[in-house]
Amino acid sequence: MSTAVILMNLGTPLEPTAPAVRKFLRDFLSDSRVVEIPRPLWLPILHGFILPLRPRRIAPAYAQIWDSSVDGEPVKGSPLLYYTRRQAELLQARLAEERPDITVSHAVTYGEPGLQTVIERLRREGFVSFIVFPLYPQYSATTTGPIYDQVAHIFRRNRDIPDIRVIRDYYRHPLYIRALANSVREHWEKRGAAEKLLLSFHGIPKANIRKGDPYYQQCQETAEHLAAELGLEDDRWQFSFQSRFGKAEWLQPYTDRTLMEWGKSGVTSVDVICPAFSADCLETLEEISVENRANFLQAGGKAYHYIPALNLRGDHIEALAAIVQEQLPNSCSSA
Protein backbone atom coordinates (compact mmCIF):
# COMPACT_ATOMS: atom_id res chain seq x y z
CA MET A 1 0.00 0.00 0.00
CA SER A 2 1.57 3.28 -1.12
CA THR A 3 1.90 5.84 1.66
CA ALA A 4 2.20 9.61 1.33
CA VAL A 5 3.82 11.62 4.09
CA ILE A 6 2.84 15.29 4.32
CA LEU A 7 5.10 17.56 6.35
CA MET A 8 3.15 20.54 7.69
CA ASN A 9 4.06 23.89 9.14
CA LEU A 10 2.11 27.01 9.99
CA GLY A 11 2.36 28.95 6.75
CA THR A 12 3.63 32.28 5.52
CA PRO A 13 2.64 35.23 3.37
CA LEU A 14 3.35 34.58 -0.31
CA GLU A 15 5.42 37.75 -0.50
CA PRO A 16 6.72 40.35 1.97
CA THR A 17 4.08 42.98 1.22
CA ALA A 18 1.27 44.42 3.32
CA PRO A 19 -1.53 42.91 1.15
CA ALA A 20 0.05 39.43 1.29
CA VAL A 21 0.65 39.71 5.03
CA ARG A 22 -2.95 40.88 5.50
CA LYS A 23 -4.31 37.83 3.66
CA PHE A 24 -2.15 35.49 5.73
CA LEU A 25 -3.11 37.11 9.03
CA ARG A 26 -6.80 37.09 8.07
CA ASP A 27 -6.74 33.32 7.57
CA PHE A 28 -4.53 32.68 10.60
CA LEU A 29 -6.27 34.92 13.12
CA SER A 30 -9.77 33.96 11.96
CA ASP A 31 -9.21 30.40 13.19
CA SER A 32 -11.07 29.90 16.47
CA ARG A 33 -8.36 27.47 17.56
CA VAL A 34 -5.81 30.28 17.40
CA VAL A 35 -7.92 33.02 18.98
CA GLU A 36 -10.63 31.69 21.28
CA ILE A 37 -12.39 35.00 21.88
CA PRO A 38 -16.09 34.70 20.86
CA ARG A 39 -16.46 35.56 17.18
CA PRO A 40 -18.92 38.48 17.68
CA LEU A 41 -16.29 40.17 19.86
CA TRP A 42 -13.16 39.14 17.99
CA LEU A 43 -14.04 39.63 14.33
CA PRO A 44 -14.77 43.38 14.63
CA ILE A 45 -11.40 43.81 16.38
CA LEU A 46 -9.64 41.72 13.74
CA HIS A 47 -11.19 43.46 10.72
CA GLY A 48 -11.51 46.91 12.26
CA PHE A 49 -8.13 47.34 13.90
CA ILE A 50 -5.63 44.50 13.40
CA LEU A 51 -5.89 43.83 9.66
CA PRO A 52 -5.92 47.50 8.61
CA LEU A 53 -2.85 48.34 10.74
CA ARG A 54 -0.66 45.37 11.64
CA PRO A 55 0.30 44.18 8.10
CA ARG A 56 1.92 47.54 7.32
CA ARG A 57 3.99 47.29 10.49
CA ILE A 58 5.27 43.75 10.05
CA ALA A 59 5.67 43.55 6.25
CA PRO A 60 9.09 45.27 6.53
CA ALA A 61 10.17 42.57 9.00
CA TYR A 62 9.23 39.90 6.48
CA ALA A 63 11.16 41.82 3.82
CA GLN A 64 14.27 41.65 6.03
CA ILE A 65 14.24 37.84 6.12
CA TRP A 66 13.04 37.26 2.53
CA ASP A 67 15.71 35.91 0.14
CA SER A 68 18.16 36.10 3.02
CA SER A 69 20.88 33.92 4.49
CA VAL A 70 20.49 31.74 7.59
CA ASP A 71 23.69 30.58 9.26
CA GLY A 72 25.56 31.16 5.99
CA GLU A 73 23.05 29.29 3.80
CA PRO A 74 21.17 31.23 1.08
CA VAL A 75 17.40 31.03 1.47
CA LYS A 76 15.00 31.63 -1.41
CA GLY A 77 11.77 33.41 -0.54
CA SER A 78 10.15 32.77 2.83
CA PRO A 79 12.54 30.86 5.15
CA LEU A 80 9.67 28.87 6.67
CA LEU A 81 8.35 27.68 3.33
CA TYR A 82 11.84 27.16 1.92
CA TYR A 83 12.90 24.93 4.81
CA THR A 84 9.62 22.99 4.90
CA ARG A 85 9.92 22.22 1.19
CA ARG A 86 13.58 21.22 1.48
CA GLN A 87 12.88 19.10 4.55
CA ALA A 88 10.30 17.18 2.52
CA GLU A 89 12.83 16.64 -0.28
CA LEU A 90 15.53 15.43 2.10
CA LEU A 91 13.14 13.20 4.01
CA GLN A 92 11.97 11.70 0.70
CA ALA A 93 15.58 10.86 -0.19
CA ARG A 94 16.23 9.39 3.26
CA LEU A 95 13.11 7.20 3.31
CA ALA A 96 13.66 6.04 -0.28
CA GLU A 97 16.66 4.07 0.92
CA GLU A 98 14.34 1.61 2.68
CA ARG A 99 10.81 2.44 1.52
CA PRO A 100 10.67 3.46 -2.15
CA ASP A 101 6.86 3.17 -1.99
CA ILE A 102 6.67 6.29 0.20
CA THR A 103 6.45 9.82 -1.18
CA VAL A 104 6.90 12.98 0.88
CA SER A 105 5.13 16.28 0.19
CA HIS A 106 4.65 19.45 2.18
CA ALA A 107 1.69 21.67 3.07
CA VAL A 108 0.85 24.57 5.35
CA THR A 109 -2.09 25.22 7.65
CA TYR A 110 -2.61 28.77 6.37
CA GLY A 111 -1.67 29.81 2.86
CA GLU A 112 -0.28 27.71 0.02
CA PRO A 113 0.11 24.84 -0.58
CA GLY A 114 -2.92 23.95 1.54
CA LEU A 115 -3.50 20.49 2.98
CA GLN A 116 -6.67 19.81 0.99
CA THR A 117 -4.98 20.67 -2.31
CA VAL A 118 -2.04 18.39 -1.51
CA ILE A 119 -4.21 15.46 -0.39
CA GLU A 120 -6.45 15.73 -3.47
CA ARG A 121 -3.39 15.68 -5.73
CA LEU A 122 -1.93 12.66 -3.95
CA ARG A 123 -5.22 10.75 -4.13
CA ARG A 124 -5.36 11.37 -7.88
CA GLU A 125 -1.87 9.91 -8.06
CA GLY A 126 -3.15 6.74 -6.38
CA PHE A 127 -2.06 7.11 -2.77
CA VAL A 128 -4.46 5.52 -0.31
CA SER A 129 -2.56 5.89 2.96
CA PHE A 130 -1.45 9.20 4.52
CA ILE A 131 0.74 10.29 7.40
CA VAL A 132 0.22 13.97 8.20
CA PHE A 133 3.27 15.18 10.10
CA PRO A 134 2.91 18.58 11.83
CA LEU A 135 6.42 19.90 12.43
CA TYR A 136 5.49 21.05 15.93
CA PRO A 137 7.42 18.92 18.45
CA GLN A 138 5.12 20.08 21.26
CA TYR A 139 1.37 19.68 20.81
CA SER A 140 -0.92 22.66 21.25
CA ALA A 141 -4.55 23.10 20.33
CA THR A 142 -3.44 26.35 18.66
CA THR A 143 -0.98 24.71 16.25
CA THR A 144 -1.53 20.97 15.80
CA GLY A 145 -5.23 21.25 16.69
CA PRO A 146 -6.16 23.11 13.47
CA ILE A 147 -4.50 20.36 11.42
CA TYR A 148 -6.79 17.74 12.98
CA ASP A 149 -9.70 20.07 12.17
CA GLN A 150 -8.62 20.34 8.55
CA VAL A 151 -8.25 16.57 8.18
CA ALA A 152 -11.77 16.09 9.56
CA HIS A 153 -13.14 18.81 7.27
CA ILE A 154 -11.49 17.37 4.15
CA PHE A 155 -13.03 13.93 4.62
CA ARG A 156 -16.30 14.81 6.35
CA ARG A 157 -18.41 13.92 3.28
CA ASN A 158 -16.34 10.99 2.02
CA ARG A 159 -17.70 7.49 2.29
CA ASP A 160 -14.38 5.86 1.41
CA ILE A 161 -12.05 7.54 3.92
CA PRO A 162 -8.40 6.59 3.41
CA ASP A 163 -6.04 5.36 6.09
CA ILE A 164 -4.83 8.65 7.54
CA ARG A 165 -2.78 9.34 10.65
CA VAL A 166 -1.69 12.58 12.26
CA ILE A 167 1.53 12.58 14.29
CA ARG A 168 0.46 14.36 17.45
CA ASP A 169 3.85 15.34 18.94
CA TYR A 170 7.46 14.28 19.37
CA TYR A 171 8.59 16.57 22.17
CA ARG A 172 10.74 13.97 23.93
CA HIS A 173 11.75 11.73 21.06
CA PRO A 174 15.38 10.80 21.72
CA LEU A 175 16.57 11.62 18.19
CA TYR A 176 14.89 15.03 18.29
CA ILE A 177 16.53 15.77 21.65
CA ARG A 178 19.86 14.52 20.32
CA ALA A 179 19.66 16.77 17.25
CA LEU A 180 18.94 19.78 19.47
CA ALA A 181 21.87 18.88 21.72
CA ASN A 182 24.17 18.39 18.75
CA SER A 183 23.28 21.83 17.41
CA VAL A 184 24.14 23.40 20.78
CA ARG A 185 27.40 21.47 21.10
CA GLU A 186 28.48 22.48 17.59
CA HIS A 187 27.71 26.10 18.38
CA TRP A 188 29.79 25.87 21.55
CA GLU A 189 32.68 24.30 19.65
CA LYS A 190 32.71 27.27 17.27
CA ARG A 191 32.05 30.13 19.68
CA GLY A 192 32.44 28.75 23.20
CA ALA A 193 29.60 28.32 25.66
CA ALA A 194 27.83 31.38 27.06
CA GLU A 195 27.08 31.84 30.75
CA LYS A 196 23.42 30.98 30.18
CA LEU A 197 21.45 28.90 27.68
CA LEU A 198 17.89 30.12 27.16
CA LEU A 199 15.36 27.76 25.59
CA SER A 200 12.68 30.02 24.12
CA PHE A 201 9.38 28.42 23.09
CA HIS A 202 6.51 30.06 21.27
CA GLY A 203 3.97 31.38 23.75
CA ILE A 204 0.24 30.76 24.08
CA PRO A 205 -2.31 32.33 26.46
CA LYS A 206 -2.08 30.97 29.99
CA ALA A 207 -5.83 30.38 29.96
CA ASN A 208 -5.31 27.68 27.31
CA ILE A 209 -3.35 25.59 29.81
CA ARG A 210 -6.10 25.90 32.42
CA LYS A 211 -8.51 24.57 29.77
CA GLY A 212 -6.39 21.44 29.26
CA ASP A 213 -3.77 22.25 26.62
CA PRO A 214 -0.64 20.12 27.38
CA TYR A 215 1.78 22.53 25.69
CA TYR A 216 3.45 23.95 28.80
CA GLN A 217 4.19 20.52 30.26
CA GLN A 218 5.61 19.28 26.96
CA CYS A 219 7.83 22.36 26.61
CA GLN A 220 9.09 21.80 30.13
CA GLU A 221 9.88 18.16 29.40
CA THR A 222 11.71 19.07 26.18
CA ALA A 223 13.76 21.63 28.09
CA GLU A 224 14.61 19.19 30.88
CA HIS A 225 15.57 16.43 28.43
CA LEU A 226 17.80 18.81 26.47
CA ALA A 227 19.49 20.16 29.60
CA ALA A 228 20.12 16.60 30.79
CA GLU A 229 21.53 15.59 27.39
CA LEU A 230 23.91 18.55 27.59
CA GLY A 231 24.79 17.86 31.21
CA LEU A 232 23.84 21.38 32.30
CA GLU A 233 23.52 22.39 35.94
CA ASP A 234 20.24 24.11 36.85
CA ASP A 235 21.84 27.56 37.07
CA ARG A 236 23.16 27.35 33.50
CA TRP A 237 19.83 27.23 31.70
CA GLN A 238 16.19 28.31 31.72
CA PHE A 239 13.18 28.01 29.44
CA SER A 240 10.86 30.85 28.52
CA PHE A 241 8.10 31.89 26.12
CA GLN A 242 8.09 34.44 23.30
CA SER A 243 5.66 36.05 20.83
CA ARG A 244 2.82 37.08 23.14
CA PHE A 245 -0.02 39.09 21.61
CA GLY A 246 -2.69 41.27 23.17
CA LYS A 247 -3.31 42.11 26.82
CA ALA A 248 -4.09 38.64 28.21
CA GLU A 249 -1.56 36.84 30.41
CA TRP A 250 0.54 34.39 28.41
CA LEU A 251 2.84 31.58 29.51
CA GLN A 252 5.74 32.78 31.61
CA PRO A 253 8.54 33.54 32.10
CA TYR A 254 8.57 35.85 29.09
CA THR A 255 11.66 35.65 26.88
CA ASP A 256 12.16 39.40 26.47
CA ARG A 257 11.84 40.14 30.19
CA THR A 258 14.10 37.24 31.12
CA LEU A 259 16.85 38.52 28.84
CA MET A 260 16.53 42.07 30.16
CA GLU A 261 16.64 40.83 33.76
CA TRP A 262 19.75 38.78 33.00
CA GLY A 263 21.44 41.76 31.37
CA LYS A 264 20.66 44.00 34.34
CA SER A 265 21.81 41.39 36.87
CA GLY A 266 25.28 41.02 35.38
CA VAL A 267 24.93 38.05 33.01
CA THR A 268 27.37 38.95 30.25
CA SER A 269 26.70 36.25 27.63
CA VAL A 270 23.73 34.18 26.53
CA ASP A 271 22.96 31.56 23.88
CA VAL A 272 19.33 31.22 22.76
CA ILE A 273 17.74 28.23 21.06
CA CYS A 274 14.08 27.80 20.03
CA PRO A 275 13.21 24.09 20.36
CA ALA A 276 9.56 24.51 19.28
CA PHE A 277 10.55 25.65 15.79
CA SER A 278 11.58 23.01 13.25
CA ALA A 279 12.44 25.74 10.75
CA ASP A 280 13.62 29.30 11.08
CA CYS A 281 10.97 31.94 10.43
CA LEU A 282 9.97 35.48 11.38
CA GLU A 283 9.68 34.60 15.08
CA THR A 284 13.24 33.30 15.25
CA LEU A 285 15.09 35.41 12.69
CA GLU A 286 13.55 38.75 13.65
CA GLU A 287 12.06 38.49 17.13
CA ILE A 288 14.78 36.32 18.69
CA SER A 289 17.85 37.07 16.62
CA VAL A 290 17.28 40.85 16.30
CA GLU A 291 14.74 42.23 18.81
CA ASN A 292 15.77 40.18 21.81
CA ARG A 293 19.44 40.59 21.06
CA ALA A 294 18.85 44.34 21.40
CA ASN A 295 16.91 43.80 24.64
CA PHE A 296 19.78 41.87 26.21
CA LEU A 297 22.57 44.16 25.05
CA GLN A 298 20.73 47.34 26.03
CA ALA A 299 20.15 45.89 29.50
CA GLY A 300 23.88 45.42 30.00
CA GLY A 301 24.70 42.08 28.36
CA LYS A 302 27.84 41.79 26.24
CA ALA A 303 27.45 38.76 23.96
CA TYR A 304 24.28 37.25 22.50
CA HIS A 305 24.06 34.36 20.04
CA TYR A 306 21.00 32.74 18.49
CA ILE A 307 21.46 29.03 17.69
CA PRO A 308 19.50 28.36 14.45
CA ALA A 309 16.57 25.97 14.26
CA LEU A 310 17.26 22.39 13.19
CA ASN A 311 16.28 23.26 9.62
CA LEU A 312 18.15 20.93 7.20
CA ARG A 313 20.57 19.30 9.63
CA GLY A 314 21.24 15.66 8.84
CA ASP A 315 20.41 14.55 12.38
CA HIS A 316 17.12 16.44 12.14
CA ILE A 317 16.16 14.60 8.96
CA GLU A 318 17.17 11.31 10.64
CA ALA A 319 14.86 12.14 13.55
CA LEU A 320 11.96 12.92 11.20
CA ALA A 321 12.58 9.68 9.30
CA ALA A 322 12.56 7.64 12.51
CA ILE A 323 9.31 9.24 13.66
CA VAL A 324 7.65 8.48 10.32
CA GLN A 325 8.91 4.89 10.31
CA GLU A 326 7.39 4.37 13.76
CA GLN A 327 3.98 5.17 12.26
CA LEU A 328 4.23 2.62 9.48
CA PRO A 329 2.65 -0.85 9.77
CA ASN A 330 4.52 -3.30 12.01
CA SER A 331 6.32 -0.42 13.76
CA CYS A 332 6.31 0.51 17.42
CA SER A 333 6.97 3.95 18.90
CA SER A 334 10.02 4.69 21.02
CA ALA A 335 9.03 8.29 21.75
Side-chain angles (χ1 to χ4, degrees):
M1 180 169 61
S2 297
T3 298
V5 177
I6 305 172
L7 297 186
M8 290 201 66
N9 219 316
L10 182 77
T12 176
L14 294 180
E15 56 185 13
T17 63
V21 172
R22 184 175 298 110
K23 183 179 186 303
F24 170 70
L25 289 180
R26 183 182 67 238
D27 294 344
F28 175 45
L29 296 177
S30 294
D31 193 327
S32 59
R33 288 277 195 181
V34 176
V35 179
E36 297 185 3
I37 299 172
R39 300 297 91 180
L41 295 177
W42 172 242
L43 292 181
I45 296 172
L46 175 63
H47 291 279
F49 297 96
I50 295 175
L51 292 179
L53 301 175
R54 189 168 176 80
R56 289 199 298 268
R57 290 202 302 268
I58 64 174
Y62 274 106
Q64 288 293 322
I65 67 170
W66 221 261
D67 292 330
S68 59
S69 174
V70 178
D71 201 28
E73 177 186 354
V75 171
K76 181 64 175 175
S78 161
L80 182 72
L81 190 57
Y82 169 82
Y83 282 122
T84 305
R85 181 175 62 248
R86 289 286 291 124
Q87 286 165 347
E89 293 169 355
L90 293 173
L91 181 59
Q92 169 81 72
R94 172 61 184 84
L95 292 173
E97 299 171 10
E98 301 166 16
R99 293 292 302 266
D101 59 318
I102 294 177
T103 192
V104 183
S105 298
H106 71 282
V108 295
T109 312
Y110 311 101
E112 299 176 12
L115 180 60
Q116 181 163 347
T117 299
V118 173
I119 285 180
E120 288 176 349
R121 171 179 61 80
L122 291 168
R123 295 195 81 181
R124 289 195 299 270
E125 294 175 4
F127 289 93
V128 294
S129 176
F130 298 89
I131 296 175
V132 178
F133 192 167
L135 293 174
Y136 306 119
Q138 299 79 23
Y139 172 91
S140 172
T142 63
T143 52
T144 308
I147 295 173
Y148 279 96
D149 292 343
Q150 288 193 9
V151 169
H153 177 80
I154 291 168
F155 294 108
R156 74 191 190 283
R157 298 185 185 280
N158 285 38
R159 292 191 179 276
D160 185 13
I161 297 176
D163 176 23
I164 186 163
R165 309 174 195 187
V166 179
I167 296 176
R168 185 178 186 270
D169 56 58
Y170 55 101
Y171 63 97
R172 60 181 181 181
H173 193 284
L175 295 186
Y176 158 66
I177 298 297
R178 186 181 304 168
L180 289 173
N182 287 343
S183 72
V184 175
R185 291 190 188 102
E186 290 173 16
H187 173 81
W188 287 347
E189 289 173 2
K190 293 178 182 177
R191 299 182 178 270
E195 289 180 55
K196 299 274 192 180
L197 176 66
L198 184 64
L199 287 66
S200 180
F201 294 83
H202 196 283
I204 63 173
K206 192 172 183 179
N208 293 23
I209 304 303
R210 292 194 294 268
K211 295 174 183 177
D213 197 306
Y215 181 70
Y216 180 89
Q217 179 184 350
Q218 293 190 1
C219 291
Q220 182 177 29
E221 289 195 41
T222 294
E224 291 172 347
H225 278 78
L226 178 55
E229 181 77 13
L230 292 169
L232 292 177
E233 299 294 334
D234 290 346
D235 62 351
R236 287 283 313 284
W237 67 279
Q238 184 172 320
F239 72 100
S240 61
F241 297 91
Q242 65 192 72
S243 308
R244 62 188 184 276
F245 176 77
K247 297 181 179 180
E249 182 181 8
W250 284 48
L251 294 181
Q252 298 185 34
Y254 298 136
T255 293
D256 55 355
R257 294 182 185 176
T258 297
L259 288 166
M260 287 187 283
E261 289 168 3
W262 281 358
K264 292 175 182 177
S265 67
V267 175
T268 61
S269 62
V270 62
D271 294 323
V272 183
I273 188 171
C274 298
F277 293 87
S278 60
D280 276 310
C281 56
L282 186 69
E283 286 80 3
T284 62
L285 298 176
E286 202 275 335
E287 181 179 355
I288 293 298
S289 189
V290 178
E291 288 184 16
N292 279 289
R293 178 193 302 275
N295 289 333
F296 180 65
L297 298 181
Q298 290 171 6
K302 304 300 181 185
Y304 178 103
H305 293 111
Y306 167 61
I307 301 172
L310 294 178
N311 293 328
L312 307 181
R313 291 178 57 91
D315 49 12
H316 185 210
I317 303 304
E318 284 295 325
L320 300 181
I323 295 165
V324 167
Q325 289 168 330
E326 290 161 7
Q327 298 297 317
L328 297 173
N330 302 318
S331 297
C332 59
S333 174
S334 62

